[in-house]
Amino acid sequence: MTVRAASSVLVGRHREIAALRDALGRARAGEPTTVLVGGEAGVGKTRLLEEFAGWATDGAARVLVGQCLELGEAGLPFAPFAAALRAVLRADGPEVFAGYEAEFAPLLPELGRAATLAAPRGIPLSDAPRGYLFDLVAELFQRLADARPLVLIIEDLHWADRSTRDLIGFLVRAARPGRLLLVCTYRTDELQRGHPLRPFLAELDRARGVERVELGRLDRDGTAAILADLLGAEPLARAVDDVHDRTQGNPFFIEELAVAGDPIGCAALPETLRDLLLARVDRLPEPAQRVLRIAAAGGTRFAHDLLAEVAGLPEAELEDALRAAVAAQLVVADRDGDYEFRHALVREAVHDELLPGEHARLHARFAAAIEAQPHLVAAGRAPAEIAHHWHAAHDHPRALVAARAAACAAADRYAYAEQRRLLERALELWELVPDAADLLGMDHLALLEQTLDAAVTAGDFSRAITLTRAGLAEVDAEAAPLRAARLLDQRGRLMALLGKSDGSRELDEAYRLAAGGPPGAERVRLLADIATHLVKIDPQKAARVAAEAATDAEAFGENVALLSTRIALLCHGERDLTGGLAELGRAAAAARAAGDVPTLVLAMVFESDMLCELGRYAESAQAAEAGVAEARRVGISRSTGAYLLSNRAEALIALGRWDEAEAVCAEAARIDLSGVTGLHWLQLGAGLRLARAHPGADELVDRALTFLNRPYLWPNHRLPLHELAIEAALAADDKIEAVRAARVAVADGSLPQLPREGWPVLSAVARTAARVGDRELAAAVAALAADLPARQPAARAHAAQVTALLAVGDQALPAWRTAVDAWRADGQPHPLGRALLALAEATAAAGERDETAAAVTEATEIGRRLGAAPLVEAAATLARRVGLRGAAGGGAGADLLTAREREVLRLVAEGHSNSRIAERLFISPKTASVHVSRIIAKLGVTNRVEAAALAHRLGLLTETAAPR
C-alpha cells in the first residue's frame, strides 16, 4: 500500500478556522486584530495556518509569512519580519519602501547594499534609532493594508529573539495598523518556567484586539480521518485504536507512524521520530533521566508511591528528578498526586532505550511491588498490571499464572476482549513452562476452550474460528463427546457469522455427538445452544432438538438454559408478531429474574426488531437503546449487543432522525464488528449516505456489497443488499447496472419467503423497471408481488408503491394517491417524500396543479428536514419542469448548491472556461469540471448557457459573494 508522507486534509479544526476567519473579518472592517495560536509540537498549527492562508488569499487578502529561527536570544534579530518583507520586496520592488531603503537595511541587508551603491561617496547609511525603524515598518504595513487586507503570520514565536518580540509588541499595542491581522504561533510545550515568551504573552493578553486560540489533540475520529487520507482507504477500527492510543491524537505523530511501513501502525518507532522524542529527554540532568527510565517501565501513567517503591531513592532526590521532568514538559502531574507522560510515544521511546537486563529488572520490581501492595495502582488493575510486568520481565512461570488470574479478573468485570488477550498470552507461555498444567490446574484444551469462549463473547469471530480448529484437533471425540460437540456447535455458528457456510454440517455432527453423550445439565445446555443455532437453517429440526432439550431440562432443573432457544424459535419462521411480543416479554422477565443478562440482551434484540416490523418505530428505538446499555454493562457490545445498535439505527431512520442514526452507525463502525454482525449497520449507513448524497457513500456501499461475494449469507441479510445494489445504481444513473442488479434480486429464491425484506427489494426493482421501461422486469415484479403477503404497515406501503410503479395510464394517479396514504400511515418520511414526487408527476399530467404544488412543497420540506439532497433536487427539478413557482423553485435553487458551487456558477455566468475557473478559485481544472457538471445536473439543465440563464432568472447570483 502506498502511503502519503503528509495528510492533505485538515481535520477537527472547524472552531479554530472559524475564529481565524472572524478575526480577518474584523481586520477587514479596520479593527487591528491579533491571534495567538498555541499548541504542542506537531499538533497542526502550521497546517491550520496553511488552510487559513489559502482561504484568505482566495478572499483577496495579502498573506505574508515569517519564521522565527531556533537560535536563541542572541540569534538573528527580526528574522520573521525580514522574511516577510523580503517577499514584499520580490513582489513589489524596492519602490514599496518609498525611499527609506537605507532605514530598512537592518531588516533587509540587500537594501543596504543597494543604498550604498546609489549613495554619493562619503554619505553614511542611516543609523536611525530602533523606534524610528518600528514606525517605518508599521507605516509600510499600513500602506499594504490600505491596498488590501493584510495577514502577517509569524511562526514559532517561542524561538523569537528580543527584537522580534519588541516589534510585535509595538505593532499590537502602539502602532495598530488598520486592516492588519497578525497571527503568531508558539509551542506550549516549550514554555518552561522562566521562558521569556511567557511574560510577553501575558502582556499581549492585556492589549485590545488580542485573542488566543489553543489547538488540542485530535479525538479518535480525527485520527481515523488522517489515516484514511494517508492510506487512501478506510483503516480498520483496531488500527485506528492502536495509532490513536500511541499518538494520543497528535497529527504529526499519526503521520510518522502511518508512513513507517505498516498501514495499521508500526510495531517500532521510526528512528527519526525516536530521535525527535528523545531530544528533550537528553537535555535533562542524569538523575532525572534515570527516574524517567524507571517510570517508563511503569507505563504512561504512574503513581508517585509506586515509583518511589520501585526507584528506592530518597524522597528529596526523587522529587527533584520529577520536578525537572515536569518543568521540561515531559511529565504532567494531576491533582491526585499521580503523574503521566505528556506523550505516550515519549514513554515508548524512553522505554525502548532500556538495556535488556535493565528492562527485565525494572519490570520484575514493578510486578513484585504491586503484588505486595495492590493499592499502589488503580482499583481493579492490579492483576493485569502484575501479569504485564512479569511477562515483560521474561519470568515465564509467574507470567503464566498471573495472566490466567488477570483473565479471570477481567471476566469478572465483563472485559472480555481483555480476557481474551490475557488468555492468548497464557496459551503462548504454555509451551515455555514445563509444569504449566500443574501451575494452572487445567489441561491445555481447557485453557483453549476458555480463550475460545472469551473470543466469541468479545465478538472476535475470526480468531474464535481458528481456536475451534485447534480445539477440534486436540479433543478426543470418543472419550469426550460433549467437549467435541461444544466445539463443533461453536464452529458451525461461527462459519455462518463469517459467511463461510451455513454451518449445518458442523451443527449436525454436534447434535449427533451430544445426543449420544452422557445425560446431565451440560448436555441440556449444549442441546439448547444447538437448537438456537439451527433456527435460521432448519426451524423444524431446531424445534425437535429444543423439545429434546426441554425433556431433559425438567429432570435436571435447567429450564433457564432454554430461554435463548425459546426466544429464537419465537422470532423465526411464521410469526404472530403481537403474540410473539407478549411471549418475548415473559422470556425477558425470566432472564432478568435469573440474572441471565446475555439472554436478556438477546430478548431485547428481538423485541426491538419486532417493534420495528410492526411500525412502532419510537418504541423500537427505545427498546434498542435500553438493550445497548445492558450489552455495554456486561461487555457484549461486539457480539449479541451489536444487533441492538443497528436495530436502533434502523428505527431512527424510519422516524426521520437521520443525524442520530448516523451517529449510531459511526459508533458501530468504531466498535469494528466482526462478520455479519457488522453488515446491518453497514447496509443502513450506506443507504443513509446515498439518500443524503454523502461524499463517502460509494465507499460504504462497496464495503457492504462485498458481503454478496461470500460463500454464504443468511437470506435476511442478503435481500437488503440486493436493494442497496439497485439503489446505488439508480443514484448513479447507471441503468445497465440497475437492471442487472434487479434481475439478480428477483432470481433470489428466498424473496417469496421473507415479506419484510422482500417488499423493499420489489419496490427497488419496480422503480428500475419503470425508469428503463423494462416490461419483462415489470412482469417479474408483478408475479412475485401477487403471492407475497403484506401484513405490516411498511409492507403494505411498499405493496401500494409497487402497484403504482407498475400502473399505466389513468391507473397511475389513484394508485399513487393510495401509495402516499399508505406511507403516511406507516410514518417513514423519506419513502413518503419519494411517493409525493411520483404523485406530483401524476397530478401534473392530469392537470391538477394545486395538488401538484402541495405534493412538491411537502416533499421539499421532508428532504430539507432530513438533509436528503437528492430528494430536494428532484423536487426542484420537477417544479421547474412543470412550471411551478414558489413550491420548490425560486430560492430553492440556491439551497441545492453548495457555497463553492455558487462561486463556480457565478464564474460560469461570467463566461469563464473551466481552466479559468480553476485559476480563479485555486482548484484543479478537473475539480472545476466536476463542479460544473454537478451544477448542470442539480439545476436540471443541459449545458452551461442554460445554467447561467436559469441562475439569472432564479436570482441565484445575487446571493453569491465575489469569489475569494
Side-chain angles (χ1 to χ4, degrees):
M1 180 181 292
T2 301
V3 184
R4 278 211 308 276
S7 175
S8 63
V9 297
L10 183 67
V11 174
R13 303 302 187 197
H14 305 297
R15 181 183 62 82
E16 293 84 357
I17 279 286
L20 289 168
R21 290 180 176 182
D22 288 345
L24 182 54
R26 295 195 297 274
R28 284 181 187 278
E31 178 185 344
T33 305
T34 301
V35 179
L36 305 173
V37 180
E40 67 189 18
V43 82
K45 300 181 293 297
T46 299
R47 180 71 187 87
L48 172 73
L49 291 185
E50 285 174 352
E51 185 79 11
F52 170 68
W55 178 85
T57 302
D58 287 351
R62 183 170 190 171
V63 178
L64 301 175
V65 181
Q67 182 96 29
C68 297
L69 305 178
E70 192 178 5
L71 299 175
E73 283 292 293
L76 190 64
F78 304 116
F81 288 99
L85 293 180
R86 192 165 286 114
V88 173
L89 175 62
R90 285 197 299 267
D92 298 11
E95 297 79 12
V96 74
F97 297 103
Y100 290 98
E101 291 86 348
E103 284 76 7
F104 277 97
L107 297 180
L108 294 178
E110 55 265 45
L111 289 177
R113 290 192 294 272
T116 300
L117 293 174
R121 187 176 300 275
I123 299 178
L125 288 175
S126 174
D127 190 22
R130 201 170 64 150
Y132 181 46
L133 173 64
F134 286 10
D135 280 330
L136 290 175
V137 171
E139 288 174 10
L140 173 61
F141 287 152
Q142 181 72 62
R143 291 197 303 275
L144 295 175
D146 286 343
R148 54 177 169 152
L150 178 63
V151 178
L152 175 59
I153 296 174
I154 297 180
E155 294 206 70
D156 295 325
L157 197 57
H158 50 279
W159 289 331
D161 61 284
R162 173 67 182 270
S163 297
T164 296
R165 293 197 301 272
D166 287 347
L167 180 48
I168 290 172
F170 177 79
L171 292 174
V172 172
R173 292 194 299 269
R176 303 179 61 80
R179 302 222 300 170
L180 169 67
L181 170 61
L182 176 61
V183 183
C184 302
T185 71
Y186 62 95
R187 292 183 185 173
T188 53
D189 50 346
E190 291 281 352
L191 303 189
Q192 303 171 20
R193 190 176 300 277
H195 194 290
L197 188 60
R198 294 178 71 158
F200 178 69
L201 292 175
E203 290 175 15
L204 291 185
D205 280 336
R206 292 196 291 269
R208 185 167 59 87
V210 175
E211 176 183 356
R212 284 224 205 187
V213 172
E214 293 288 337
L215 263 66
R217 299 169 184 174
L218 299 177
D219 59 14
R220 182 193 178 282
D221 290 344
T223 298
I226 289 183
L227 286 175
D229 179 61
L230 292 171
L231 304 177
E234 194 74 21
L236 295 173
R238 294 185 188 181
V240 176
D241 291 337
D242 174 47
V243 173
H244 186 67
D245 287 345
R246 295 177 73 190
T247 64
Q248 296 175 305
N250 183 293
F252 173 73
F253 293 164
I254 296 168
E255 292 175 350
E256 288 294 304
L257 285 189
V259 301
D262 185 346
I264 67 167
C266 57
L269 286 176
E271 285 299 321
T272 53
L273 180 56
R274 185 191 308 279
D275 293 343
L276 181 66
L277 293 169
L278 292 175
R280 193 177 298 166
V281 176
D282 292 341
R283 293 198 290 268
L284 288 175
E286 178 53 37
Q289 290 188 44
R290 185 168 59 253
V291 167
L292 212 58
R293 288 194 296 271
I294 298 171
T300 302
R301 185 176 177 83
F302 53 93
H304 180 92
D305 291 344
L306 176 59
L307 182 63
E309 184 72 23
V310 173
L313 296 173
E315 190 66 22
E317 187 177 334
L318 177 62
E319 287 180 350
D320 286 344
L322 286 171
R323 188 175 291 110
V326 170
Q329 303 269 343
L330 291 165
V331 170
V332 293
D334 63 20
R335 295 178 181 177
D336 298 329
D338 292 338
Y339 298 90
E340 185 175 4
F341 278 87
R342 186 177 183 87
H343 283 294
L345 286 183
V346 171
R347 187 214 72 86
E348 191 175 325
V350 173
H351 185 258
D352 289 349
E353 289 293 294
L354 295 174
L355 297 172
E358 183 183 23
H359 178 281
R361 285 193 301 274
L362 282 176
H363 280 286
R365 281 155 63 182
F366 270 105
I370 299 170
E371 279 184 337
Q373 303 180 68
H375 65 275
L376 293 177
V377 296
R381 289 301 305 165
E385 293 286 339
I386 293 167
H388 162 72
H389 287 299
W390 282 130
H391 185 258
H394 308 300
D395 189 326
H396 298 144
R398 283 176 169 162
L400 174 69
V401 173
R404 173 83 198 308
C408 293
D412 291 340
R413 302 194 319 272
Y414 306 115
Y416 296 110
E418 182 180 350
Q419 180 198 17
R420 196 270 304 165
R421 287 193 295 271
L422 288 162
L423 290 174
E424 291 272 13
R425 179 181 297 169
L427 284 172
E428 292 171 5
L429 291 166
W430 185 281
E431 300 299 330
L432 302 175
V433 180
D435 56 345
D438 294 333
L439 286 173
L440 296 185
M442 58 169 41
D443 61 18
H444 184 265
L445 180 59
L447 180 60
L448 195 150
E449 288 168 333
Q450 282 191 357
T451 311
L452 169 60
D453 288 341
V456 170
T457 310
D460 191 352
F461 301 142
S462 296
R463 180 56 181 161
I465 203 166
T466 302
L467 291 168
T468 61
R469 185 169 60 244
L472 288 168
E474 190 170 329
V475 70
D476 183 344
E478 295 301 321
L482 295 185
R483 287 183 95 171
R486 170 67 66 187
L487 289 166
L488 284 164
D489 168 53
Q490 289 176 306
R491 185 169 179 82
R493 176 172 174 258
L494 290 167
M495 294 290 280
L497 283 170
L498 293 172
K500 295 178 179 292
S501 75
D502 64 1
S504 59
R505 186 173 65 84
E506 288 81 3
L507 291 172
D508 286 344
E509 179 63 11
Y511 171 68
R512 186 189 70 79
L513 288 171
E522 183 182 355
R523 193 179 77 156
V524 171
R525 290 191 293 270
L526 182 53
L527 289 173
D529 285 347
I530 293 170
T532 301
H533 301 157
L534 276 171
V535 164
K536 281 191 176 183
I537 303 169
D538 188 342
Q540 292 181 341
K541 184 172 183 179
R544 291 196 301 272
V545 176
E548 186 177 338
T551 301
D552 285 356
E554 292 291 336
F556 296 101
E558 284 291 328
N559 288 315
V560 173
L562 292 170
L563 279 175
S564 60
T565 308
R566 279 175 53 201
I567 291 168
L569 289 171
L570 273 172
C571 301
H572 289 88
E574 288 295 323
R575 299 174 294 167
D576 169 17
L577 290 179
T578 304
L581 266 178
E583 180 66 21
L584 199 56
R586 288 188 286 272
R592 185 178 277 109
D596 186 353
V597 181
T599 300
L600 173 62
V601 169
L602 181 67
M604 298 173 96
V605 169
F606 287 118
E607 179 189 9
S608 60
D609 189 58
M610 281 186 174
L611 287 167
C612 192
E613 187 172 356
L614 284 167
R616 294 158 61 176
Y617 302 121
E619 294 174 70
S620 173
Q622 291 169 0
E625 185 175 17
V628 167
E630 289 287 349
R632 284 190 188 129
R633 187 170 68 82
V634 296
I636 55 175
S637 294
R638 292 190 72 243
S639 50
T640 310
Y643 297 107
L644 286 160
L645 280 176
S646 53
N647 283 2
R648 182 159 186 258
E650 184 176 17
L652 291 171
I653 290 170
L655 290 166
R657 292 156 58 180
W658 284 14
D659 290 342
E660 293 177 68
E662 281 201 343
V664 173
C665 288
E667 183 180 351
R670 286 192 291 271
I671 292 175
D672 189 23
L673 301 171
S674 182
V676 297
T677 54
L679 175 55
H680 191 202
W681 84 260
L682 199 56
Q683 168 243 321
L684 292 170
L688 196 55
R689 287 190 175 185
L690 277 178
R692 284 185 150 179
H694 188 285
D698 289 345
E699 187 267 332
L700 271 195
V701 169
D702 290 344
R703 282 177 59 191
L705 294 183
T706 56
F707 278 81
L708 286 173
N709 299 325
R710 299 199 178 195
Y712 177 77
L713 203 60
W714 284 316
N716 64 312
H717 285 127
R718 188 172 63 246
L719 288 177
L721 291 181
H722 290 318
E723 179 196 1
L724 178 63
I726 297 168
E727 292 289 354
L730 291 175
D733 199 26
D734 188 342
K735 295 183 177 66
I736 294 174
E737 175 58 23
V739 170
R740 186 205 66 78
R743 287 178 176 161
V744 170
V746 295
D748 194 310
S750 62
L751 193 151
Q753 281 77 49
L754 297 171
R756 180 183 180 185
E757 292 81 11
W759 275 116
V761 174
L762 287 184
S763 276
V765 176
R767 283 183 65 214
T768 304
R771 182 176 294 191
V772 303
D774 190 322
R775 294 183 180 180
E776 182 182 342
L777 203 53
V781 173
L784 287 166
D787 296 326
L788 197 62
R791 300 187 182 95
Q792 310 308 329
R796 289 194 292 269
H798 276 296
Q801 182 166 288
V802 168
T803 299
L805 285 164
L806 300 180
V808 294
D810 295 340
Q811 299 174 342
L813 180 53
W816 277 114
R817 283 173 175 157
T818 300
V820 166
D821 289 342
W823 281 119
R824 287 194 197 283
D826 175 65
Q828 296 189 58
H830 189 251
L832 173 60
R834 281 180 158 186
L836 283 166
L837 287 188
L839 174 62
E841 289 199 59
T843 54
E848 302 283 349
R849 291 187 60 79
D850 289 345
E851 190 175 355
T852 303
V856 170
T857 299
E858 186 178 358
T860 302
E861 290 172 352
I862 289 171
R864 287 175 177 165
R865 187 170 71 249
L866 298 176
L871 182 59
V872 178
E873 293 171 19
T877 301
L878 178 60
R880 288 192 298 273
R881 205 178 67 198
V882 300
L884 292 176
R885 294 187 180 278
D895 293 339
L896 294 179
L897 304 180
T898 66
R900 177 62 94 182
E901 286 168 347
R902 291 198 295 276
E903 290 179 338
V904 171
L905 179 57
R906 182 182 182 88
L907 295 175
V908 167
E910 292 175 3
H912 293 294
S913 66
N914 288 351
S915 298
R916 181 58 181 152
I917 292 171
E919 292 176 10
R920 291 286 297 275
L921 297 181
F922 299 93
I923 57 179
S924 70
K926 181 178 180 182
T927 301
S929 175
V930 169
H931 281 311
V932 172
S933 298
R934 286 179 177 168
I935 290 166
I936 289 172
K938 286 183 177 184
L939 296 181
V941 295
T942 58
N943 55 48
R944 299 162 67 98
V945 175
E946 289 182 12
L950 182 61
H952 283 293
R953 190 166 69 251
L954 297 180
L956 302 184
L957 302 182
T958 59
E959 301 176 5
T960 310
R964 294 195 292 265

